[in-house]
Amino acid sequence: MKKAKKIQYIIELLRYGFSLTAFKEAVARWAWYIHDHVSPIAQMKKGENVRIHPTASLRCGRNISLGENSHINQYCCIWASPNAKIVLGDNLLMGPGVRMFCSNHGTKPGKIMNRQEWIEKDIIVGDDVWIGANSVIVQGVKIGNGSIVAAGAVVTKDVPPNSIVGGVPARIIKDRGKFSS
């Protein structure tokens, strides 16, 4: 890199890095991290040996429970709501980018969607479940013990125990009880 270019970068760092705007942005990001991550973790029910990645986004922590030996991976959104909970069982494997939403906006015509009543329902995930990367699980879904959700699946209906589901919307691909490795 040429000397003039290095000097230009240093001037830019000094000019903007120590500005009021930089300070405001740093405080805003820190406050959001407390709101989005620290506060919900402090409120949620957790078993022993749980791991929650620092990039996970959590809502309504008081309505989230995470079982023993379970993991919320990077870039996951686990959003309970004021009147609906997310229950995650023991020994849960969760890939990066998984999204779970306990609520959704209403869609009645004639009223602005973001002002409609929420539709809120619990999400229950059993023990020994593997949820693949970038899967979406919507409100009201129950996933049975021992099930696998394929990467990228959108789960809109209950998943029976020991099932492998995938697709958009997710459907049963295999029964793990009949699966041989």
Side-chain angles (χ1 to χ4, degrees), residues 37-47 50-52 58-67 72 78 86 88:
H37 192 75
V38 177
S39 174
I41 288 174
Q43 297 174 32
M44 63 190 284
K45 299 160 205 77
K46 299 177 290 293
V50 301
R51 293 174 295 147
I52 303 170
L58 309 164
R59 292 288 187 282
C60 292
R62 70 184 179 280
N63 287 336
I64 301 172
S65 62
L66 181 61
I72 296 176
I78 309 301
I86 296 178
L88 305 170

Side-chain angles (χ1 to χ4, degrees), residues 23-40:
F23 177 75
K24 286 180 185 177
E25 286 297 315
V27 169
R29 289 175 199 276
W30 176 77
W32 185 257
Y33 184 75
I34 298 300
H35 165 77
D36 203 47
H37 192 75
V38 177
S39 174

Side-chain angles (χ1 to χ4, degrees), residues 100-171:
M100 296 182 187
F101 305 105
C102 271
S103 62
N104 208 341
H105 293 282
T107 58
K108 294 176 185 167
K111 188 173 182 183
I112 296 171
M113 281 189 254
N114 68 1
R115 294 192 181 151
Q116 293 192 31
E117 295 292 320
W118 282 1
I119 300 163
E120 297 176 288
K121 295 180 184 172
D122 297 345
I123 294 173
I124 311 293
V125 178
D127 298 334
D128 189 31
V129 170
W130 178 11
I131 302 172
N134 297 312
S135 297
V136 176
I137 300 167
V138 300
Q139 75 272 7
V141 168
K142 292 179 178 68
I143 299 177
N145 294 342
S147 293
I148 298 171
V149 176
V154 177
V155 184
T156 60
K157 295 181 180 172
D158 290 354
V159 176
N162 295 309
S163 297
I164 300 173
V165 299
V168 179
R171 60 177 177 75

